Amino acid sequence: MNFEDKMARLNEIVKLLENDKLPLKESLDLYKEGAELSADCKKMLEDARLTVITMNGDKEDE
């Protein structure tokens, strides 16, 4: 799953969790999935940032 797909799923999960009518188990399962997706997206963004820094020859502040 690419970054955009993960973000779209994460947004779906947030909307589902905002509905207070979900059973506790389903809410916990969605929360766990969301936490994993969030961590994956954070890592993907960090990897992209490092790639840009490397491509710029470590001239991040310019």
Side-chain angles (χ1 to χ4, degrees):
M1 189 181 292
N2 65 29
F3 179 82
E4 291 78 9
D5 293 339
K6 288 180 187 227
M7 286 298 297
R9 177 60 182 153
L10 191 53
N11 284 325
E12 289 174 16
I13 290 170
V14 168
K15 288 178 184 173
L16 289 168
L17 288 174
E18 289 175 341
N19 176 0
D20 61 351
K21 294 180 171 87
L22 288 176
L24 179 60
K25 171 136 176 45
E26 187 175 345
S27 294
L28 290 172
D29 290 343
L30 286 169
Y31 182 85
K32 180 180 177 187
E33 181 184 354
E36 291 170 358
L37 287 168
S38 178
D40 288 349
C41 287
K42 183 177 179 180
K43 182 176 180 344
M44 292 171 94
L45 287 172
E46 179 61 16
D47 290 347
R49 185 183 77 82
L50 292 173
T51 297
V52 170
I53 289 170
T54 301
M55 291 171 57
N56 285 335
D58 205 19
K59 295 185 246 181
E60 183 178 338
D61 295 331
E62 292 182 24

